[in-house]
């Protein structure tokens, strides 16, 4: 095993590094996850003590069947593969429960990961963090809102934590990076796998300016069950979780509820009642989470844990969500005409699925037209201003 080269790193003691092979070997054992691992450590003082105890001690501790057979044959080959990845770059690291750098916030949750692979700056994991999650297919406004909030909060010293997925996750990471702030990406794959592949550059930037972490071994590819599992780490690392845009069936609601179960704050940004991407946030707000309109709303709620930096700049304090300066009548007319001329085909597409005098729900309009929720909401506003449609109980009706 190649542990010796890891032990030379200045921030890792030889004692901790010497124990790594046993931690990894035990976690490579089939049927040993975080909960079973914790139970085993209550019976034995350490993974080394467990793996070297022998069959009779294991049986006395109540181990039987497949677990007993697996402990007799540790997968040292897989452990060597883990060390091959760890030795491949000076910024790669491994954190175990007994490492003083293991984040205290994460240690408090019900089932903290016994190990974390990572690349970047592990010290960021112990700084005040805010998780930001939401739809993988957000509206343009939702994506901009996520990026703006992340930018302003990162300027104040908050570490922005998310899952590096498409949509709100990616926008949140980019917002923090644009402020030359710090960001944490919690992966649902091994630390060496970039998913989605289009986030290859984002992954690289986060490794340089922030940190990526994963409880999964190097080489683990995307699997559907991994992502709900990694969500508990996103919320567990953070003092609060902000949901920007989410449908009623979004995985972001799972993260929000995990955060609440972990005793962390949950925030949600509201949206239009006609926007299905806002329904998840509205459901959370009905359940009692804090409605957020400005970055200051979050800072005020988490004031006791705020990083030791200056207060929010005036531009951030006054920034509200989706409230642009009102247009003059000539500007409004020009905007309407420009949009109608530019997207005439889309407007015709939307009008074609509407019925004169009969209300059609917005959800149905989105489904029938094949357009995005954001596009339909914007187009209905313009068409209403033009007098071509009107809102009515149950949806919108086509007037002409």
């Amino acid at each position: 095993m190649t542990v010796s080269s890891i032990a030379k790193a200045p921030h890792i003691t030889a004692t901790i590094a010497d124990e790594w092979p046993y931690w990894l070997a035990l976690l490579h054992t089939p049927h040993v996850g975080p909960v079973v691992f914790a139970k085993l450590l209550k019976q034995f003082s350490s993974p080394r003590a467990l793996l070297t105890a022998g069959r009779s001690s294991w049986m006395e501790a109540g181990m039987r069947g497949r677990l007993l057979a697996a402990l007799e044959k540790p997968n040292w080959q897989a452990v060597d593969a883990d060390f091959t990845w760890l030795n491949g770059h000076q910024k790669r690291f491994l954190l175990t429960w007994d490492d003083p750098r293991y984040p205290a916030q994460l240690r408090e949750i019900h089932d903290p990961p016994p190990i974390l692979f990572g690349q970047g700056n592990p010290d960021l994991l112990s700084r005040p963090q805010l998780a930001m999650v939401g739809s993988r297919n957000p509206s343009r406004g939702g994506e901009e809102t996520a990026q703006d909030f992340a930018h302003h909060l990162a300027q104040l010293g908050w570490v922005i934590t998310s899952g590096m997925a498409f949509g709100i996750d990616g926008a949140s990471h980019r917002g923090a990076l644009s402020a030359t702030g710090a960001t944490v990406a919690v992966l649902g794959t091994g630390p060496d796998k970039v998913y989605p592949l289009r986030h290859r550059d984002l992954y690289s930037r986060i490794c340089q300016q922030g940190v990526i972490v994963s409880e999964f071994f190097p080489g683990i590819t995307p699997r559907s069950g991994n992502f709900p599992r990694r969500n508990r780490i996103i919320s567990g690392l953070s003092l609060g979780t902000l949901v920007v845009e989410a449908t009623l069936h979004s995985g972001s609601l799972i993260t929000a509820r995990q955060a609440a179960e972990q005793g962390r704050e949950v925030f949600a940004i509201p949206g239009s009642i006609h926007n299905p991407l806002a329904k998840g946030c509205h459901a959370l707000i009905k359940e009692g989470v804090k409605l957020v309109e400005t970055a200051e709303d979050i800072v005020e709620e988490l004031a006791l844990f705020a990083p030791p930096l200056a207060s929010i700049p005036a531009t951030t304090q006054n920034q509200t969500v989706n409230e642009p300066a009102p247009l003059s009548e000539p500007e409004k007319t020009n905007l309407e005409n420009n949009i109608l001329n530019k997207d005439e085909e889309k407007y015709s597409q939307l009008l074609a699925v509407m019925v004169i005098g009969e209300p059609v729900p917005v959800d149905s309009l989105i489904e029938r037209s094949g357009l995005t929720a954001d596009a339909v909401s914007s187009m209905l506003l313009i068409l209403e201003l033009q007098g071509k449609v009107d809102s009515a109980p149950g949806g919108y009706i086509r007037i002409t």
Side-chain angles (χ1 to χ4, degrees), residues 236-256:
L237 283 168
S238 308
L239 292 162
T241 294
L242 172 63
V243 184
V244 180
E245 266 191 348
T247 65
L248 286 172
H249 304 291
S250 171
S252 304
L253 301 193
I254 297 174
T255 309

Side-chain angles (χ1 to χ4, degrees), residues 63-70:
M63 299 179 197
R64 298 288 186 274
R66 290 179 294 179
L67 178 58
L68 189 64

Side-chain angles (χ1 to χ4, degrees), residues 205-395:
R205 290 180 64 197
I206 294 172
C207 286
Q208 292 298 318
Q209 195 171 320
V211 60
I212 61 103
V213 291
S214 175
E215 68 174 321
F216 301 107
F217 297 109
I220 297 296
T221 55
R223 300 170 187 171
S224 58
N226 291 357
F227 296 96
R229 182 174 162 185
R230 69 94 195 265
N231 289 349
R232 83 189 194 286
I233 301 178
I234 294 175
S235 58
L237 283 168
S238 308
L239 292 162
T241 294
L242 172 63
V243 184
V244 180
E245 266 191 348
T247 65
L248 286 172
H249 304 291
S250 171
S252 304
L253 301 193
I254 297 174
T255 309
R257 294 194 172 104
Q258 286 175 328
E261 290 169 3
Q262 293 163 353
R264 311 296 159 81
E265 297 293 336
V266 182
F267 309 93
I269 296 177
S272 167
I273 61 171
H274 302 298
N275 183 0
L277 291 171
K279 291 186 182 298
C281 293
H282 292 170
L284 290 173
I285 292 167
K286 288 178 181 178
E287 292 172 9
V289 311
K290 179 159 184 175
L291 184 154
V292 168
E293 294 178 304
T294 68
E296 188 179 30
D297 293 335
I298 296 171
V299 174
E300 286 178 350
E301 194 71 24
L302 300 177
L304 291 175
F305 311 99
L309 291 179
S311 59
I312 293 182
T315 53
T316 308
Q317 292 178 8
N318 297 328
Q319 180 182 350
T320 57
V321 181
N322 295 329
E323 290 187 10
L327 298 176
S328 66
E329 287 304 317
E331 288 174 328
K332 188 185 296 184
T333 301
N334 288 337
L335 175 63
E336 295 163 7
N337 290 336
N338 288 339
I339 294 175
L340 286 169
N341 291 335
K342 183 178 178 181
D343 295 323
E344 185 176 350
E345 184 178 339
K346 289 183 179 179
Y347 279 87
S348 299
Q349 187 176 341
L350 179 60
L351 288 168
V353 299
M354 300 183 75
V355 181
I356 295 177
E358 180 182 325
V360 182
V362 175
D363 289 353
S364 298
L365 291 174
I366 294 168
E367 183 179 351
R368 294 179 190 177
S369 67
L371 299 169
T372 66
D374 186 42
V376 170
S377 296
S378 300
M379 291 162 69
L380 286 172
L381 175 61
I382 298 298
L383 289 169
E384 193 170 359
L385 289 169
Q386 290 283 338
K388 291 182 170 59
V389 304
D390 197 6
S391 59

